[in-house]
Amino acid sequence: MNFLGYFSQLLEIVLALLLAPLLIGWVNQWRAWLQNKSAPSLFLPYRKLHKLFNKELVLAQHASPLYRVTPYIVFGCMALASAIIPSLSTDLPLSPASDAIALVGLFALARVFISLAAMDVGTAFGTMGARREMLIGFLAEPALLMVLFSASLLSKSTSLTTIVDTLAHRDLAIYPSLAFAGVAFTMVSLAENARIPVDNPATHLELTMIHEALTLEYSGRHLALLEWAASLKLFAYSCAGLALFFPWGIADAQSPLALLLALPALIFKLALGGALLAILESVSAKMRIFRVPEFLATAFLLAVIGMLVNILLGI
Amino acid sequence: MTAFISQFINLLAAILLMLAFSMLAQRRILSLIYLYTMQGATLVAATAIVGFVTNQPHLYFSAAITLVLKVILIPSLLHRVIDRLNVRWDVEMLINIPMTMLIGIVMVMFSFYLAQPISQMSSTIARGTLGIALACILLSFMMMITRSKAVPQVIGFLSMENGLFFAATAATYGMPMVVELGIALDVLVGILILGVFMFHIREQFDSLDIRHLEKLKED
Amino acid sequence: MNLLLLVLGFPLLGSIILGFIGHRDVAREANVVFSLGTFIASCALTVQVIAEGPLFALNHEFFIDSLNVFMVSLTAFVALTTAVFSRPYMKVEQAHGKMTPSRLRLYHSMYQLFSFTMLMALMTNNMGILWVSMEAATLTTVLLVSVYRTAASLEAAWKYFILCGVGIAQALFGTVLLYMAAEKLIVAESGALLWTSLNAVKGSLDPDIITLAFAFLFIGYGTKVGLVPLHNWLPDAHAEGPTPVSAVLSGLLLNVALYAILRCKVLTDGALHSALASQLMMGFGLLSVVVAAFFLSRQKDVKRMFAYSSIEHMGLITFAFGMGGPIANFAGLLHMTVHSLIKSAIFFTVGHATQKAGTQVMEDIHGLIKVSPAVGWGMMLGSLAILGLPPFGVFASEFLILTTAMREQPWATPFLLLALGVAFASVFARVQPMVFGETTVKALPHPPALIPVFIHLGLGLMLGLYIPPYLSAWYHQAALMLGG
């Protein structure tokens, strides 16, 4: 592994940590514009994080050690996930670890801890949130796996870097299976990142909230870490989507200078993706929680059809 | 170039399948009509492209007929019917949606399985998509039997016809012109008759719920 | 060629003209006149085909051979007698207020259009046009079934449309596959769907495609034949439509749908060198016979009961053609002919009987023979004939089918015997009190048309005793063509 590899790995992690809150700010700004409101500052998420880090930490009386370590574990998971997804370059020291199944496992690990922690203090909302989170999780994970398998059928490997390498260097070709996988992936991402139509990130309405219910009891730097982790998750999902479906511009080992081009390309794609996400959220209405299984079942089935189409058309 | 176009046709076929699935999962009648229109438009695009690549002018004609009939005329007729009957309400299902989708996926597998050996025999550019066409037909068929209201049943019928049309394009570059005209005429007349029927049914039962139509059965 | 155009032209012209004047009093007669014209033209066509052999017309788009020419004249004949029967029937319906002038116009116009689509389906050489005609026939009969606009008739028509629409769509897919298989072998412009061209190359059609194609075609046209389990539309459509429509549905439409299956079977047999088509037809035919026989015993509505009897007989014919071989094919063709004659005769008498009684429920109809001996005897004789009592033609064909089954498919014989026995017991037990006993029915304002009933019964009787040589030659020729 050469110096450039380590450099791009470092760059990716730093970039993820820095850009993730910015992406949230960008999406929020677009949402405000689309709803004819005056937009909050792009840097509002940073200020919020700064404020939370400086606040006093309040812990519930019965909080166990698990409750206290969870924010660090979740943050660590998300940071690692952002690190193994090839967003800038495929030539990374961590690439042996960047397996599709490992990625799904990382997300699952974070989910388990945050759900346990939410139940730990024993409030009603925490338990309810944990239950809903697990419901979404157990439906979304198979769908996500199917999406990744559709993509890996094309490259005959579950390693993310290999997939991206294959997809980025193919001749201009259209894969119908990827169209299905893309739609399914979008649906899964919306559910996993607590966006409309599954959850509304901008509200604390107690009967509908999922993500907010989980973090309701947290405060101070714990809350800051969890919020940061949430934005990292969105960032990681966006990068994974871009890597799978729009891999152009990602640098590889053969062309070190491409890294220079990869950064603006990534920022451009993220900006576009964020705007599209805001539009998608603005045109759809939040669905009832009982409809969510239906929504995710659809995503799963689309991913399965993607695989079947792939097998049928033989490409 | 040809490889690229054949992939593009595959993509359009995949979109058709996706639309058929969304119709299966869709609750609102209005959205069903939009989905149907989109299906028709995809069909027009696929037919025209196949016609262009293979230099078969008669496919342009069938694309034009499809455009007029399935993208403009029938959707506007359907819009008029639901306006007049005021039936924008949510569609009721006889089986819940996840179950429908699961059965749907089994049907897709079945039709892929059936079509795979057959499609190798065809010499057309779009032969791989025969399985998708068959899947669309079966999915629309399922939509017809899982819906309890008249309008969605009719849309299911129409979308089945779309699947058949696509099958003809995929397998053989379309049927002979006479036959195609005849089919188009039948579909148009059929939809007119069904439209008139819906008014009669509502007059008789004060509802378009097909479950009222259960008087005639063996006891 | 010209005769062929006449055969198609009469009903088409009739439908257009009756579309304008169908509500006037003269329309009933006009309906008969157009049907008569069609019949005469078809007779002339038959004579010509007998004299000159198979006939092509219009760039090979039409093809008349020994198989379809007699079906054309049979269709034209039953259409004519039904038109004669519907004259007084519709007068009574109008007097009862069930038919308004505008409905009458629709009825007359659609009746002629229906004949047109049937004849078109029989004479076309193009498998695609065959499909189009069958679908058009569905559309016209949907309108005919729903002509009363009652809740029940709308329900029947809707069910009919949806079920047959779905079924016939499968047939279209089958046709597409057929075209796909043929396209490589037949280069001629749009010639790849012509049955004669397909028949010429049937040995080299791809077996895989043809297997799938036949499965779809069989499901599709089988729905229209009313084979179990796709038969649900049939009793409803028969029971809720006007009786002349029930007569032509049973007498003509089912036959024509079966004819479509036969055409496909010939191609499939040639391509496959296996008994797939035969086995499918035998299986579904037998299933239809047995299931319909048991449903027969549970009916309360007279038209529904005879509708189930039609399913039973169509199943029997399908079974016969499935067995194949010269005798079974001969018997199938004979049974097709007598069934259409006698079943329509029964529906004629049933139509008058229900009008007299004012109900279709069998328990409320008694003693027809007291009020109108002709109707009563007609129904009794018709029922006996359709149940296969000698000396009627049904006996002859059923006898042939049974003996062939005993020899070639012995496993099926007990089922057939059981079903025929059950059918006999249930129909006879129901018809007997309707015809004899104390009466509850009243006389009608217009005298019924009984000539068609007795002509049909007479022909059915004749076919049981003596088959004219040219007819028997036709049966043999057609049976040969079916692979006998």
Side-chain angles (χ1 to χ4, degrees), chain A residues 172-177 179-180 183 291 293-294 297-298 300-302 304-305 308-315, chain B residues 4 7-8 10-11 14-15 17-18 21 25 27 90 97-98 101-102 105 108-109 112 115-116 128-129 131-132:
Chain A
L172 186 56
I174 303 169
Y175 295 105
S177 60
F180 281 99
V183 175
R291 287 276 169 85
E294 212 168 88
T298 312
F300 176 72
L301 291 175
L302 281 175
V304 174
I305 297 174
L308 288 177
V309 167
N310 194 340
I311 294 165
L312 173 82
L313 298 177
I315 43 172
Chain B
F4 179 69
Q7 281 163 355
F8 191 66
N10 284 348
L11 179 71
I15 292 175
L17 185 61
M18 210 185 291
F21 249 97
R27 282 201 166 84
D90 285 355
I97 289 182
M101 305 282 270
L102 271 178
I105 201 110
V108 174
M109 285 183 200
F112 281 13
Q116 186 125 43
T129 55
I132 293 185

Side-chain angles (χ1 to χ4, degrees), chain C residues 173-258:
Chain C
F173 190 71
T175 312
V176 169
L177 290 176
L178 198 62
Y179 186 50
M180 176 178 154
E183 206 194 20
K184 281 170 286 181
L185 301 170
I186 303 167
V187 235
E189 184 64 25
S190 83
L193 268 179
L194 295 186
W195 187 84
T196 41
S197 329
L198 284 166
N199 196 32
V201 297
K202 64 184 174 185
S204 36
L205 292 171
D206 184 88
D208 280 347
I209 305 182
I210 294 297
T211 307
L212 197 60
F214 183 76
F216 276 97
L217 286 164
F218 185 69
I219 295 173
Y221 292 130
T223 312
K224 295 224 63 147
V225 179
L227 294 179
V228 174
L230 305 158
H231 66 288
N232 272 333
W233 63 272
L234 196 143
D236 297 347
H238 275 70
E240 302 308 328
T243 311
V245 175
S246 319
V248 285
L249 278 179
S250 260
L252 303 183
L253 183 74
L254 307 185
N255 271 357
V256 175
L258 193 58

Side-chain angles (χ1 to χ4, degrees), chain B residues 21 31 47 49 60 73 80 101 112 147 165 189 197:
Chain B
F21 249 97
S31 322
T47 317
I49 289 170
Y60 291 135
L73 209 56
R80 187 168 300 176
M101 305 282 270
F112 281 13
R147 301 306 175 106
F165 184 89
V189 174
F197 259 41

Side-chain angles (χ1 to χ4, degrees), chain C residues 196-404:
Chain C
T196 41
S197 329
L198 284 166
N199 196 32
V201 297
K202 64 184 174 185
S204 36
L205 292 171
D206 184 88
D208 280 347
I209 305 182
I210 294 297
T211 307
L212 197 60
F214 183 76
F216 276 97
L217 286 164
F218 185 69
I219 295 173
Y221 292 130
T223 312
K224 295 224 63 147
V225 179
L227 294 179
V228 174
L230 305 158
H231 66 288
N232 272 333
W233 63 272
L234 196 143
D236 297 347
H238 275 70
E240 302 308 328
T243 311
V245 175
S246 319
V248 285
L249 278 179
S250 260
L252 303 183
L253 183 74
L254 307 185
N255 271 357
V256 175
L258 193 58
Y259 161 83
I261 293 185
L262 288 182
R263 286 279 188 210
C264 304
K265 178 181 181 268
V266 172
L267 297 179
T268 312
D269 282 345
L272 287 191
H273 316 292
S274 79
L276 170 90
S278 300
Q279 281 160 355
L280 267 179
M281 288 177 76
M282 277 196 288
F284 280 95
L286 196 61
L287 184 69
S288 308
V289 175
V290 174
V291 172
F294 281 95
F295 270 110
L296 260 178
S297 59
R298 295 164 54 180
Q299 299 308 313
K300 299 188 174 67
D301 182 312
V302 57
K303 281 164 85 179
R304 280 185 89 82
M305 183 179 78
F306 283 113
Y308 273 105
S309 152
S310 291
I311 298 178
E312 186 210 337
H313 285 278
M314 290 328 274
L316 196 62
I317 301 169
T318 312
F319 179 79
F321 285 126
M323 283 194 296
I327 301 178
N329 282 340
F330 177 93
L333 290 166
L334 180 63
H335 201 96
M336 244 168 144
T337 319
V338 280
H339 173 254
S340 54
L341 289 172
I342 293 187
K343 189 50 72 59
S344 41
I346 291 178
F347 273 113
F348 298 160
T349 59
V350 164
H352 286 308
T354 53
Q355 276 184 335
K356 284 177 203 288
T359 174
Q360 294 183 188
V361 181
M362 285 183 277
E363 286 167 2
D364 300 340
I365 308 176
H366 301 290
L368 281 170
I369 212 154
K370 291 235 166 99
V371 181
S372 166
V375 172
W377 277 115
M379 187 189 268
M380 197 67 217
L381 289 176
S383 307
L384 290 177
I386 207 75
L387 290 171
L389 234 62
F392 286 99
V394 180
F395 171 75
S397 51
E398 280 184 0
F399 182 77
L400 284 175
I401 293 172
L402 272 175
T403 46
T404 318

Side-chain angles (χ1 to χ4, degrees), chain B residues 58 114-115 117-124 130 133-134 137-138 141 144 149-151 153-154 157 160-161 163-165 167-169 171-179 182-183 185-187 189-191 193-194 196-198 200-201 204-205 210 212-219, chain C residues 61 126-129 131-136 139-140 142-143 146 149-159 161-163 165-170 172-177 179-181 183-184 189-193 206 208-210 212 216 235-236 240 295 298-300 304 308:
Chain B
H58 83 268
L114 271 189
I118 302 296
S119 54
Q120 310 302 328
M121 315 282 175
S122 170
S123 51
T124 63
L130 189 63
L134 184 56
I137 297 171
L138 292 182
F141 174 60
M144 280 177 83
K149 294 260 160 57
V151 184
Q153 278 196 344
V154 172
F157 177 73
M160 182 152 71
E161 205 273 332
L164 283 166
F165 184 89
T169 312
T172 60
Y173 297 142
M175 305 286 268
M177 207 59 214
V178 206
V179 180
I183 295 171
L185 185 70
D186 275 347
V187 169
V189 174
I191 186 74
I193 293 178
L194 284 176
V196 175
F197 259 41
M198 282 183 221
H200 290 312
I201 288 177
Q204 282 291 339
F205 300 100
I210 298 302
H212 289 292
L213 299 186
E214 277 182 357
K215 299 261 160 31
L216 299 179
K217 58 182 173 193
E218 304 308 331
D219 27 37
Chain C
E61 284 294 327
N126 189 320
M127 296 303 280
I129 298 293
W131 184 87
V132 171
S133 318
M134 288 304 293
E135 171 74 358
L139 295 177
T140 52
V142 162
L143 286 175
S146 69
R149 301 268 184 273
T150 58
S153 72
L154 279 174
E155 177 183 344
W158 184 269
K159 231 175 175 179
F161 188 102
I162 295 293
L163 251 161
V166 170
I168 206 104
Q170 313 303 320
L172 181 57
F173 190 71
T175 312
V176 169
L177 290 176
Y179 186 50
M180 176 178 154
E183 206 194 20
K184 281 170 286 181
E189 184 64 25
S190 83
L193 268 179
D206 184 88
D208 280 347
I209 305 182
I210 294 297
L212 197 60
F216 276 97
D236 297 347
E240 302 308 328
F295 270 110
R298 295 164 54 180
Q299 299 308 313
K300 299 188 174 67
R304 280 185 89 82
Y308 273 105

Side-chain angles (χ1 to χ4, degrees), chain A residues 36-75:
Chain A
N36 259 341
K37 293 177 190 164
S38 60
S41 156
L42 194 57
F43 301 102
L44 190 66
Y46 293 113
R47 280 184 219 145
K48 202 172 155 197
L49 286 180
H50 181 253
K51 182 182 78 181
L52 287 172
F53 271 120
N54 286 327
K55 274 201 167 181
E56 188 192 352
L57 183 67
V58 183
L59 276 178
Q61 256 179 341
H62 317 290
S64 69
L66 176 88
Y67 183 78
R68 261 174 275 169
V69 297
T70 294
Y72 302 100
I73 294 177
V74 172
F75 184 79

Side-chain angles (χ1 to χ4, degrees), chain A:
Chain A
M1 194 54 64
N2 52 13
F3 164 73
L4 196 71
Y6 287 103
F7 173 70
S8 40
Q9 184 69 73
L10 190 72
L11 188 66
E12 260 200 41
I13 298 176
V14 173
L15 206 66
L17 293 178
L18 287 182
L19 278 187
L22 195 67
L23 182 64
I24 295 276
W26 172 248
V27 175
N28 285 342
Q29 212 169 34
W30 265 90
R31 269 167 49 133
W33 285 334
L34 286 168
Q35 289 159 8
N36 259 341
K37 293 177 190 164
S38 60
S41 156
L42 194 57
F43 301 102
L44 190 66
Y46 293 113
R47 280 184 219 145
K48 202 172 155 197
L49 286 180
H50 181 253
K51 182 182 78 181
L52 287 172
F53 271 120
N54 286 327
K55 274 201 167 181
E56 188 192 352
L57 183 67
V58 183
L59 276 178
Q61 256 179 341
H62 317 290
S64 69
L66 176 88
Y67 183 78
R68 261 174 275 169
V69 297
T70 294
Y72 302 100
I73 294 177
V74 172
F75 184 79
C77 284
M78 293 309 163
L80 186 58
S82 322
I84 63 171
I85 293 169
S87 56
L88 284 175
S89 161
T90 56
D91 177 30
L92 300 172
L94 285 182
S95 12
S98 73
D99 190 88
I101 301 169
L103 183 69
V104 177
L106 267 179
F107 288 132
L109 185 68
R111 187 190 339 271
V112 168
F113 270 95
I114 195 153
S115 303
L116 286 176
M119 290 190 287
D120 189 65
V121 280
T123 58
F125 278 133
T127 318
M128 185 192 69
R131 215 170 58 208
R132 289 180 179 171
E133 175 75 9
M134 289 318 278
L135 172 77
I136 291 178
F138 104 89
L139 289 164
E141 264 161 29
L144 183 60
L145 271 176
M146 279 295 160
V147 170
L148 294 171
F149 285 162
S150 286
S152 55
L153 267 181
L154 294 174
S155 53
K156 314 272 185 269
S157 158
T158 55
S159 158
L160 287 173
T161 44
T162 319
I163 294 174
V164 173
D165 258 342
T166 325
L167 291 181
H169 292 105
R170 65 192 172 187
D171 301 326
L172 186 56
I174 303 169
Y175 295 105
S177 60
L178 280 188
F180 281 99
V183 175
F185 183 80
T186 313
M187 292 170 87
V188 173
S189 316
L190 289 176
E192 283 270 34
N193 288 294
R195 315 300 301 187
I196 290 175
V198 176
D199 187 9
N200 189 348
T203 172
H204 278 85
L205 199 62
E206 49 213 30
L207 286 178
T208 61
M209 60 188 180
I210 300 170
H211 175 73
E212 297 295 327
L214 291 169
T215 58
L216 206 58
E217 298 297 320
Y218 277 107
S219 59
R221 60 173 188 277
H222 285 166
L223 184 58
L225 278 174
L226 284 174
E227 290 294 322
W228 203 352
S231 62
L232 271 171
K233 191 176 179 185
L234 180 65
F235 185 84
Y237 263 92
S238 313
C239 286
L242 294 176
L244 288 179
F245 304 109
F246 306 97
W248 301 287
I250 295 178
D252 57 27
Q254 277 81 44
S255 49
L257 281 179
L259 206 58
L260 287 177
L261 203 67
L263 185 61
L266 177 70
I267 291 176
F268 174 74
K269 286 191 281 187
L270 277 177
L272 207 63
L276 283 178
L277 173 64
I279 293 172
L280 204 61
E281 280 195 285
S282 301
V283 296
S284 44
K286 178 165 165 4
M287 64 175 82
R288 281 158 47 207
I289 189 94
F290 307 110
R291 287 276 169 85
V292 172
E294 212 168 88
F295 180 79
L296 287 170
T298 312
F300 176 72
L301 291 175
L302 281 175
V304 174
I305 297 174
M307 277 180 70
L308 288 177
V309 167
N310 194 340
I311 294 165
L312 173 82
L313 298 177
I315 43 172

